[in-house]
Amino acid sequence: MAGLPPSVPPRKSLGNIRRAFAPWANPAARPLVTFEGVTKRFGGVTAVDDLTLAIYPGEFFALLGPSGCGKTTLMRMLAGFETPDSGRIAIDGQDLAGIPPYRRPTNMMFQSYALFPHMSVEDNIAYGLRQEGQPRTEIARRVAEMLALVKLEGLGRRRPDQLSGGQRQRVALARALAKRPKVLLLDEPLGALDRKLREATQYELMDLQSELGLTFVMVTHDQDEAMALADRIAVMSGGRIAQVAPPEVIYENPATRFVAEFVGDVNLVEGTITEASEAFVSIRTAPEGLVIIADPPPGLHPGAAVTVALRPEKVAITHAEPPQAVNKLAGEIWDIGYLGDFTMFQVKVGGEGGPLFKVALANRTRRVERPLAWDDRVWLSWDAEAGILLAG
Amino acid sequence: MAVPRRLLRLFVVGPPLLWLGLFFLLPFAIVLRIALSDSAPALPPYAPHWEGWSRLGAFLAALDGETFAVILADSLYLDALLSSLRLAALATLLALLVGFPLAYAMASAPRRWQTALVVLVILPFWTSFLIRVYAWIAILRPEGVLNLVLLRLGVISEPLRILNTEAAVLIGLVYSYLPFMVLPVYAALERLDRSLIEAAADLGAPPLRRLLTVTIPLAKPGILAGAFLVFVPAVGEFVVPDLLGGPDTLMIGKVLWTDFFSNRDWPLASAVAVLLLLLLVGPILFFQRLAKGAAA
Ligand SMILES: Nc1ncnc2c1ncn2[C@@H]1O[C@H](COP(=O)(O)OP(=O)(O)OP(=O)(O)O)[C@@H](O)[C@H]1O
Ligand SMILES: [Mg+2]
C-alpha cells in the first residue's frame, strides 16, 4: 500500500461481483426499462429507428455511438421530453405513453448541467425534493447527504456561476441523484472534465451506483469510459442498435464490422472462405492472396465472403520467422507510433500495395532504444482464435 | 500613432453627454427658471426672477418658491399626483398580466414566426397614437362597438358606461403601453435556456410550479424593465385621461395641461412638472435597485 501514490484510486474489487451480475442472460429476470420497436423522426431525419432494448434493475448501461446516431433522443424519450412516433417504452412494466416528465421515475443529468442560475447549490439539489413535498428537515438532511456524497460540503450557499466546471458537474449529479430515481439518465456526464478528474469521477459514479443500487443509463462518446463503467454497452448506429453486450464481448466478439471498427483499433481484412472444417477455417484475402487461419464460426461455409477483424495487440511482431505460428505474414515496418504504455507499429504486408497492419506492442521495459526500427523486415504472427470472422 | 486614452474616452462618452445636456438638462433648466418666476400678463406670460449670474443676489432675494407653496397648499395637486401614481401602478400591473402571457406565447412560438410576431406587437406604432386613442372612444361609447357586441350576445341588457370613467383610462393606458411591457419580457423569455425548464420538469415540477420557480424568476429583469417602461410614462400621461377619462378622472398630466394652456399660469405648470420629475426619481431608483438584485 505504502508504495502506491495516493492519487491513484483503488481499483474496484467488484470485478467478480460484476461478472456474476448478468440478468440479461437470465430469461426469468424482469427488465426495468423496455423499448419495443420505438421510432422517432424529426422531419425527414429518423433519429431512432425501430429500436428494441431491455435494461435491468441495478444495471449500469452505456450508450455508445457516433455523433447523431440517436443517443440523446433515446434518453429524452425515456425522460419524457420527446414522444416516440411509434413503439412502446415502459418502466417496471408501466407504459410511459402520455406520462409527463414530472411524473416519471427517472431523473436526468443534463449534458449542459442545466443548473438553475438563480438558486444556490443547496436549492438546486433540494428542488426535486421540494416538489415531492418532503418535510423541511428531511430535505435539509438529504441535501447535506448529497453534498457530502459529491464532496461539495461547504459550497452549498454558492451560486452555480461561482463554481468551477467540475464542481458544477457534481452539483448536477447530486441534483439528479437526490430523489433516488429508479433510473438515472446521464448524458455525457463527464464530457467537460479533464482526464484526472474524469477518472476519479468515474470511480465515484461506479461506487454510487452500487451503493445506492440504482439503474444508470449513460451516454458517452468515450469508449474507455463505457468500458470501465458499464455492465453492458449498446453500440448505436443510425438510430439502431448494432450490438448490446458486456464490454469484453463488444471488444472481443463484435457482432458487426461497424462495432469492430467503432470500438477500439482493429485490422480488417476481406476475403473468402476456401476451406472449412471442425478445427479451423482457411480464408484467402481478395487481391493479395494472403491465407489466414481462424477458428471456425458457426454457419459460414466455403465460398462465403468474410471480413477478418484482428485487434492490434493480438498480433506478435518479431524479426525472426516464428516457426510454429498458425498465421504468419512477412512485412516491413512503415511507421512507429510511441504512445507511452505501448507502441503502435504500422506494418506493410505482402510488398508494395499490400495492406497495412496495425500491431500494438506493450512497452514492458524502460529501454528507449527499441530493437524494431523503420523499414525493418519483420514477421507478424497470431493464433487461430485471435481473428474475428464477420460476415460480409 | 497612439491616441491618448483620455481623449478616446471623451469621444465615447462625449456624444451621449452632449445629447443629455442639450435635450434634457438645458430644457429642465428653462422649465425650472419659469417655475421660479412670477406669473405676469405678458408674452410669454411670466416675469423671470433669474436674469443671469450677474443678478444672482437679486434672484436669491426674490426667491420665495411661491409657486411650489401654491402647489403644496392646494390639495388638488397632491390628489392628482396620488391618483396618477395609483392609475399608473394599476395600468402597469394589468399590462404585466396581459403582456406576460403574450410574451410567453411569442417566445414559445416556432422560431420562424417570432420575428413576425414582434413586428405585429410594434405595428400599432405605425399609426398615430392620438388616432388609436380616439378609436377607443368609438369602441367604448355607450353606443359603441363593445356595447353593441355585448348587447347582441345578450351578455348585458343595457349599455355599459365605460367611456369617461377610470376604467376607460386604464384600458387606454394598458393598450398604449402594452408593447413596452411585451418586448422586454419577450426578450428575457426568448433568451431563457429551455433545458432549465426541462430540468425542472424532470425533477418533478408541474407546469405552474415551473412557471413560478424557474420561468418568472429568470424573466425578472425583463419584467422589471417592462414595468419601468410602462409606469414612468403612464404617470405623466395626458392624452389618454383627456380623451377617455371623465370629469372626475384626476391625472397630473391633465392638471398640468390645464394650468399651462387654460389658466396660462406657466410658472405654476412648470413647478408641477419639476415636482413630477423629482417624484419619479424615487420609482426610478427603486426599479434600478430591483433590477440590480435580479441581475446578480
Ligand atoms: N429537436 C430536433 N429537431 C430536429 N432534429 C433533431 C432534433 N433532435 C435531434 N435531431 C436529429 O436526430 C438525430 C439524432 O440526434 P441525437 O441528438 O439523438 O444524437 P446523439 O447520438 O445524441 O449525438 P451526439 O453524440 O452528437 O450528442 C440527429 O440527426 C439530429 O440532427
Ligand atoms: Mg447527444
Side-chain angles (χ1 to χ4, degrees):
Chain A
M1 223 37 232
L4 278 178
S7 67
V8 176
R11 261 280 170 193
K12 281 204 61 134
S13 55
L14 279 172
N16 294 324
I17 303 170
R18 292 207 161 237
R19 211 154 301 276
F21 177 80
W24 51 87
N26 174 8
R30 249 169 61 96
L32 179 64
V33 178
T34 52
F35 286 78
E36 285 166 34
V38 172
T39 299
K40 175 73 191 175
R41 289 185 203 88
F42 293 106
V45 183
T46 306
V48 171
D49 190 4
D50 191 22
L51 181 141
T52 298
L53 179 67
I55 298 169
Y56 291 85
E59 194 175 357
F60 200 132
F61 194 89
L63 290 167
L64 197 59
S67 190
C69 71
K71 306 179 296 286
T72 298
T73 307
L74 194 69
M75 286 248 205
R76 289 176 57 81
M77 284 195 285
L78 189 52
F81 302 131
E82 308 283 0
T83 321
D85 293 321
S86 62
R88 207 179 93 100
I89 305 174
I91 292 185
D92 246 352
Q94 188 199 10
D95 193 338
L96 292 180
I99 298 183
Y102 56 92
R103 285 212 228 98
R104 295 194 180 198
T106 56
N107 280 143
M108 182 148 167
M109 179 180 161
F110 288 72
Q111 189 168 4
S112 60
Y113 306 151
L115 297 176
F116 304 124
H118 58 299
M119 293 182 198
S120 68
V121 167
E122 281 175 350
D123 288 339
N124 264 282
I125 297 175
Y127 191 87
L129 301 169
R130 295 216 172 102
Q131 307 311 317
E132 285 179 341
Q134 301 239 17
R136 223 170 244 277
T137 50
E138 170 64 12
I139 292 177
R141 197 186 62 72
R142 282 282 275 284
V143 169
E145 187 186 307
M146 283 300 141
L147 281 173
L149 194 69
V150 296
K151 304 195 175 61
L152 286 178
E153 300 104 323
L155 298 186
R157 291 283 147 78
R158 295 228 191 141
R159 295 280 181 109
D161 61 1
Q162 297 168 318
L163 298 176
S164 75
Q167 288 168 336
R168 262 178 244 173
Q169 173 256 319
R170 281 147 189 271
V171 176
L173 180 63
R175 187 179 70 176
L177 271 172
K179 286 180 80 171
R180 300 274 159 86
K182 274 190 190 157
V183 185
L184 181 70
L185 307 172
L186 304 141
D187 195 353
E188 302 200 29
L190 313 181
L193 304 186
D194 67 67
R195 213 183 115 201
K196 266 268 142 55
L197 192 54
R198 199 175 167 120
E199 275 176 8
T201 318
Q202 285 175 1
Y203 288 109
E204 279 166 28
L205 268 182
M206 248 160 103
D207 283 343
L208 269 174
Q209 195 250 348
S210 51
E211 246 168 63
L212 303 176
L214 304 178
T215 306
F216 281 20
V217 181
M218 180 177 77
V219 166
T220 176
H221 264 125
D222 179 345
Q223 26 178 296
D224 293 340
E225 190 168 285
M227 293 267 181
L229 295 177
D231 293 308
R232 280 191 305 162
I233 296 174
V235 180
M236 288 183 68
S237 155
R240 292 165 173 272
I241 288 186
Q243 186 174 12
V244 192
E248 60 274 18
V249 176
I250 294 273
Y251 188 77
E252 305 293 4
N253 249 326
T256 66
R257 194 180 160 135
F258 172 81
V259 176
E261 273 192 293
F262 189 76
V263 181
D265 254 324
V266 74
N267 297 298
L268 293 170
V269 198
E270 287 168 10
T272 318
I273 297 185
T274 52
E275 209 185 323
S277 76
E278 294 273 299
F280 68 93
V281 287
S282 172
I283 297 121
R284 197 178 177 79
T285 67
E288 308 90 4
L290 307 171
V291 174
I292 293 171
I293 307 293
D295 281 351
L300 284 179
H301 302 291
V306 291
T307 301
V308 183
L310 194 59
R311 298 290 183 195
E313 76 281 3
K314 307 283 195 288
V315 182
I317 180 168
T318 48
H319 275 126
E321 179 173 352
Q324 292 189 332
V326 184
N327 289 296
K328 54 184 171 186
L329 297 174
E332 197 176 307
I333 296 180
W334 268 55
D335 196 16
I336 303 178
Y338 176 73
L339 297 170
D341 46 356
F342 65 90
T343 302
M344 187 70 89
F345 296 91
Q346 308 264 4
V347 178
K348 175 130 283 186
V349 172
E352 218 32 64
L356 270 178
F357 265 68
K358 281 181 247 173
V359 181
L361 191 64
N363 296 323
R364 305 186 56 173
T365 67
R366 292 182 50 220
R367 251 178 288 127
V368 177
E369 322 81 52
R370 309 249 147 227
L372 295 160
W374 272 268
D375 299 332
D376 277 8
R377 298 207 55 84
V378 291
W379 283 90
L380 306 184
S381 57
W382 64 94
D383 291 343
E385 60 91 39
I388 308 150
L389 290 199
L390 301 165
Chain B
M1 203 181 72
V3 182
R5 277 189 87 84
R6 280 163 160 275
L7 201 69
L8 211 65
R9 199 174 309 160
L10 201 70
F11 268 110
V12 176
V13 183
L17 278 183
L18 197 71
W19 176 275
L20 268 179
L22 218 62
F23 296 107
F24 174 72
L25 282 181
L26 190 67
F28 182 71
I30 294 172
V31 170
L32 190 64
R33 176 168 176 260
I34 300 175
L36 293 173
S37 307
D38 282 330
S39 191
L43 244 183
Y46 64 93
H49 288 306
W50 177 258
E51 285 164 307
W53 293 107
S54 51
R55 307 279 307 276
L56 186 64
F59 169 73
L60 285 178
L63 196 63
D64 47 11
E66 173 188 351
T67 48
F68 291 97
V70 169
I71 291 169
L72 292 180
D74 190 341
S75 71
L76 168 77
Y77 293 98
L78 189 66
D79 288 348
L81 202 66
L82 288 179
S83 161
S84 294
L85 290 174
R86 185 176 55 84
L87 282 172
L90 263 174
T92 306
L93 192 70
L94 289 173
L96 179 63
L97 290 181
V98 177
F100 189 89
L102 209 64
Y104 190 86
M106 284 167 64
S108 325
R111 201 144 276 282
R112 63 205 140 86
W113 292 5
Q114 292 196 6
T115 315
L117 290 172
V118 170
V119 170
L120 279 181
V121 167
I122 48 181
L123 199 62
F125 290 125
W126 262 254
T127 47
S128 147
F129 175 56
L130 214 58
I131 289 175
R132 284 183 285 131
V133 178
Y134 262 114
W136 275 104
I137 298 179
I139 297 172
L140 298 177
R141 268 184 320 167
E143 62 278 18
V145 180
L146 181 69
N147 276 314
L148 219 66
V149 170
L150 289 180
L151 281 171
R152 278 279 164 78
L153 289 177
V155 181
I156 49 173
S157 51
E158 52 188 276
L160 295 173
R161 212 184 75 81
I162 304 176
L163 192 62
N164 302 331
T165 66
E166 224 172 73
V169 175
L170 276 176
I171 291 174
L173 286 176
V174 171
Y175 166 77
S176 306
Y177 291 104
L178 193 61
F180 297 107
M181 178 63 84
V182 171
L183 292 179
V185 173
Y186 161 76
L189 290 175
E190 195 261 338
R191 267 204 318 268
L192 201 129
D193 183 358
R194 294 244 7 121
S195 69
L196 294 178
I197 312 290
E198 286 184 345
D202 187 65
L203 292 165
L208 189 64
R209 290 296 292 272
R210 298 204 286 272
L211 188 71
L212 294 177
T213 56
V214 179
T215 311
I216 289 179
L218 288 175
K220 205 167 138 193
I223 293 173
L224 286 174
F228 181 67
L229 289 177
V230 173
F231 180 78
V232 172
V235 172
E237 177 57 46
F238 160 71
V239 172
V240 172
D242 190 53
L243 292 185
L244 303 180
D248 51 347
T249 330
L250 212 51
M251 279 193 83
I252 197 75
K254 217 178 138 188
V255 170
L256 201 148
W257 195 89
T258 314
D259 273 338
F260 207 88
F261 293 102
S262 306
N263 303 348
R264 285 184 66 77
D265 192 341
W266 284 25
L268 192 64
S270 299
V272 171
V274 169
L275 277 183
L276 184 60
L277 192 103
L278 293 180
L279 264 169
L280 282 181
V281 170
I284 288 173
L285 290 178
F286 172 71
F287 277 120
Q288 220 164 34
R289 163 90 36 108
L290 278 183
K292 214 175 262 170

